[in-house]
Amino acid sequence: VKKAAILANATATAQDFVNVGMDLYNVKDFESSVTIWNRVKPGDALYATAQNNIASSYILLGKFKPAEKALNEALKLEPENKLFSNNKKWLEEARSAKQ
């Protein structure tokens, strides 16, 4: 209920979306986490983080094309981010394992 109140609030921040999305991710509700993280707007300081998180959910869902798109977006904004780079490797390994 608290999460619903945060998300219904017109003043919900990108940090609120990242936090609620992570709560959903942690209970393996990957589709819902993607929906929430997509509410972080381009230009927001947490946009790259949200895109990386979206990619992680998509990798776990086996949706590699949208995962790659989100990761490329995150890496375009923060090319030196080690977590994002590691997730790119994870994506490649997951894709290879699936073939």
Side-chain angles (χ1 to χ4, degrees):
V1 174
K2 181 181 169 208
K3 289 177 195 159
I6 288 171
L7 299 176
N9 186 339
T11 61
T13 65
Q15 187 67 61
D16 292 330
F17 296 139
V18 169
N19 292 346
V20 172
M22 193 53 70
D23 289 345
L24 292 163
Y25 180 91
N26 287 334
V27 297
K28 299 183 178 9
D29 186 352
F30 304 122
E31 294 283 354
S32 295
S33 67
V34 167
T35 299
I36 298 303
W37 287 323
N38 271 319
R39 294 180 65 183
V40 177
K41 303 278 186 268
D44 190 285
L46 290 172
Y47 183 71
T49 298
Q51 291 300 304
N52 176 69
N53 293 352
I54 288 167
S56 296
S57 285
Y58 278 141
I59 292 168
L60 290 166
L61 288 166
K63 296 180 177 182
F64 303 129
K65 279 236 187 294
E68 183 173 34
K69 182 176 182 276
L71 262 178
N72 287 341
E73 188 71 18
L75 282 163
K76 187 169 61 179
L77 295 167
E78 295 183 26
E80 304 300 315
N81 190 305
K82 288 286 184 222
L83 177 62
F84 300 177
S85 298
N86 288 341
N87 283 344
K88 185 84 167 177
K89 289 179 190 135
W90 175 33
L91 169 61
E92 291 159 9
E93 290 166 4
R95 189 179 268 154
S96 293
K98 197 87 168 182
Q99 293 175 352

